[in-house]
Amino acid sequence: MKSVYSERHKGHAGNVELVAGAIVPAFEMPSRAEFIRARIDAVGLGPVLAPQTHSLDAALRVHKPDFIDFLGRAYPMWKAAGREGTAMPFTWPTRGLRGDKPPESIEALLGYYSFDAGATFVEGTWDAIKSSYEVALTAAGLVKGGEKSAFALCRPPGHHAGSGFMGGYCFINNAAVAAQWFLDKGARKVAILDVDYHHGNGTQEIFYERDDVLVLNLHGDPANEYPFFLGHADETGAGKGVGFNVNYPMPAGTTFEVWGAALDDACAKAAAYKPDVLLVSLGVDTFEKDPISAFKLKTEHYPLIGARIAKLGLPTLFVMEGGYAVAEIAVNAVGVLTGFEGV
């Protein structure tokens, strides 16, 4: 399996986030990608390629132009306002407050375009965002060109980013961009299987009223788990999209026996949909030792996940999302890939 990776992700480093009332170093850190990159070589998964340069045209197919424009301007605006360090939102429009008119100040814009204080900016963040996006599109090109599968080692991740909002460490939704790119290149239908512990709320929002992308999410129950406000089982789509959004919310402490049954059901729905290509939003924060998650999957389960997905026999693009037990993230993420390959 060929992988795509960019060194430019390292520019998004040293930032902080707000978690449970405390300002802490971001859990989403450069070492996540570095450990996975080293593990790819260690197991001989396959060649690792640099991304090709892409314009932002594909991003604009799923994201609002003003949002993408803001991502590129955010840190320069922060600096121009005399600020230093991490640019982080601290105020948000909510029920009863006007949210239809973009404000002007950087402090207000950070809140206007986000849903939490987890997607933060430093000097190199925008370049890292662009490189992650280019990693996804380059890997998608490999699959479109005839590869059975490919791995986009994206950092920062993307599945919490919606059409006009960022959050959860995510800025551009790499999997959604790739799905739309496949459709624009001739695919009739695409399926997205999100196995991250946290619900892919951005992906759901982007495709919720569409029937050309089937979105399947396995995740912690939003009644108690981040990102809280989407991911319930009764969210099945709207308009043309009714029936094409499927959520599998599960409680804290879920074991692989239960989680695997949900994966089997999701794979059966994907097979019935008959997509031209499958995208896997690959989060491995389902691991029992993950510091910000609460499922109980073990390292030996991740190759089984890959093997189950491989049974679908579909051209498959893996897009890296979450996973924060840094010492084990590489073994578990690459374990899915080797399981898919039958190694």
Side-chain angles (χ1 to χ4, degrees), residues 172-238:
I172 289 178
N173 192 316
N174 301 307
V177 164
Q180 184 63 53
W181 184 87
F182 278 115
L183 292 168
D184 291 343
K185 296 297 182 181
R188 297 173 301 106
K189 296 187 294 185
V190 175
I192 300 177
L193 173 65
D194 191 323
V195 297
D196 192 282
Y197 177 79
H198 304 98
H199 177 252
N201 56 326
T203 307
Q204 173 172 310
E205 184 263 348
I206 288 169
F207 296 116
Y208 201 64
E209 298 185 12
R210 293 174 52 170
D211 60 3
D212 54 353
V213 180
L214 173 67
V215 178
L216 304 148
N217 260 289
L218 285 66
H219 54 275
D221 190 336
N224 298 293
E225 300 293 339
Y226 178 92
F228 300 113
F229 303 109
L230 281 182
H232 297 279
D234 64 353
E235 298 160 13
T236 60

Side-chain angles (χ1 to χ4, degrees), residues 26-243:
F27 284 95
E28 202 290 292
M29 60 187 74
S31 56
R32 298 175 61 249
E34 294 305 295
F35 279 119
I36 296 171
R37 172 68 180 83
R39 182 68 177 176
I40 288 171
D41 286 341
V43 303
L45 180 69
V48 179
L49 310 177
Q52 298 171 341
T53 300
H54 288 266
S55 75
L56 291 169
D57 291 349
L60 294 171
R61 296 284 290 132
V62 298
H63 291 292
K64 296 177 181 178
D66 60 306
F67 172 61
I68 295 298
D69 177 67
F70 169 72
L71 294 179
R73 293 189 298 118
Y75 204 73
M77 288 185 69
W78 182 257
K79 296 279 285 189
R83 311 293 188 189
E84 297 293 337
T86 300
M88 180 170 60
F90 67 92
T91 183
W92 293 267
T94 187
R95 293 177 297 277
L97 299 182
R98 185 170 182 180
D100 63 332
K101 182 177 176 59
E104 295 182 3
S105 74
I106 181 57
E107 293 87 354
L109 285 167
L110 286 165
Y112 180 81
Y113 286 114
S114 67
F115 68 87
D116 71 0
T120 59
F121 294 82
V122 293
E123 190 75 49
T125 297
W126 173 236
D127 189 57
I129 292 167
K130 288 191 295 182
S131 72
S132 186
Y133 160 82
E134 290 173 346
V135 163
L137 285 177
T138 302
L142 294 174
V143 175
K144 179 68 170 62
E147 296 286 339
K148 170 188 171 185
S149 61
F151 175 45
L153 180 40
C154 291
R155 182 183 175 269
H159 72 149
H160 293 307
S163 58
F165 60 81
M166 60 189 184
Y169 314 132
C170 301
F171 303 88
I172 289 178
N173 192 316
N174 301 307
V177 164
Q180 184 63 53
W181 184 87
F182 278 115
L183 292 168
D184 291 343
K185 296 297 182 181
R188 297 173 301 106
K189 296 187 294 185
V190 175
I192 300 177
L193 173 65
D194 191 323
V195 297
D196 192 282
Y197 177 79
H198 304 98
H199 177 252
N201 56 326
T203 307
Q204 173 172 310
E205 184 263 348
I206 288 169
F207 296 116
Y208 201 64
E209 298 185 12
R210 293 174 52 170
D211 60 3
D212 54 353
V213 180
L214 173 67
V215 178
L216 304 148
N217 260 289
L218 285 66
H219 54 275
D221 190 336
N224 298 293
E225 300 293 339
Y226 178 92
F228 300 113
F229 303 109
L230 281 182
H232 297 279
D234 64 353
E235 298 160 13
T236 60
K240 290 194 306 180
V242 170

Side-chain angles (χ1 to χ4, degrees), residues 284-297:
V284 292
D285 42 3
T286 49
F287 182 55
E288 61 182 349
K289 296 180 184 178
D290 193 273
I292 58 174
S293 307
F295 285 170
K296 298 300 180 183
L297 274 64

